[in-house]
Structures are given as structure tokens and as C-alpha cells.
Amino acid sequence: LQAYCEKRMVLSFFSGRGCMSYNFPASYAWGNFSILAVGIWAIVQRDSLDAIMMFLSGLLLTVLTDIIHISVFYPTKNYLTDLKRFTLGMAILSLLLKPVSCYFVYQMYRERGGE
């Protein structure tokens, strides 16, 4: 469980770096950081299946919304600065690591007695 918590904190680091240059609307930050809060709740309440299920469904939903945000708000080549390029890279890296996080959360769900 501790190794998973460390991996989740790394993922939240990437999500936070994706919010640095205001490439995305506020809904990107609200979605990712609210799921981080639900994840902390799921880790603290070790016997709750509802918390881990909400966390898993929220992660899956943010995968979809991150794809939409990145595809819609990706700037054109003329407007790419180094900061925007870095934040877009961190947002894409966060998106690529979310399925791995979903797998670990699903394993936690199974360990807690989920079907």
C-alpha cells in the first residue's frame, strides 16, 4: 500500500505540473486534484469499498477528460513556448501513467473484497 501511495503522489506531481502555464481550463485542475483528494480518502479508509470504487471510477473518468482537454486545448506550433511545451509534456505523461494507476487501484479493490 505504501508503494502505491508513493506512485500516486508521483502521478499527482505530473498533474500539478500540467497546470503550470494555464494551457488548460480550470476544469483540468479541478478534476485531477479532486480525484487526488478522493484517492487520499480511499487510502485512509482501508475498509471502505465505496471509497476505492469512487477513486477507480474517478480515475477512469479523468482519463477520458484528460484526452479531451489535451486534444482540444493543444496550442498551435506558433504559440508553443518552453513552459507550455513542458506543461503539455507533464500532462501527457500523467495521462500515460493513469492506466497503471487504475490497475493498482483495481488490485486494491480486489484485496478489499470487491468482485
Side-chain angles (χ1 to χ4, degrees):
L1 183 63
Q2 183 179 1
Y4 171 74
C5 294
E6 293 168 359
K7 290 174 187 172
R8 183 65 195 147
M9 292 307 145
V10 168
L11 187 61
S12 66
F13 172 78
F14 292 132
S15 295
R17 295 300 169 250
C19 300
M20 280 177 47
S21 73
Y22 305 108
N23 285 338
F24 304 117
S27 60
Y28 177 80
W30 277 103
N32 282 306
F33 290 127
S34 63
I35 293 304
L36 177 65
V38 172
I40 291 171
W41 173 52
I43 290 170
V44 169
Q45 294 217 340
R46 295 179 185 208
D47 58 342
S48 174
L49 275 176
D50 293 335
I52 199 75
M53 195 62 200
M54 283 180 61
F55 184 42
L56 181 60
S57 60
L59 272 176
L60 292 171
L61 182 66
T62 58
V63 167
L64 179 68
T65 58
D66 285 356
I67 290 170
I68 293 170
H69 279 113
I70 291 171
S71 62
V72 169
F73 294 103
Y74 196 86
T76 60
K77 186 177 179 180
N78 299 338
Y79 297 106
L80 272 176
T81 62
D82 290 337
L83 180 63
K84 286 185 180 183
R85 194 173 290 127
F86 175 74
T87 57
L88 286 168
M90 291 295 112
I92 291 170
L93 187 60
S94 171
L95 177 63
L96 291 174
L97 290 176
K98 278 187 184 179
V100 175
S101 184
C102 288
Y103 173 76
F104 286 119
V105 171
Y106 181 71
Q107 291 299 324
M108 287 175 59
Y109 174 72
R110 297 288 304 249
E111 289 172 5
R112 292 183 185 186
E115 297 179 6

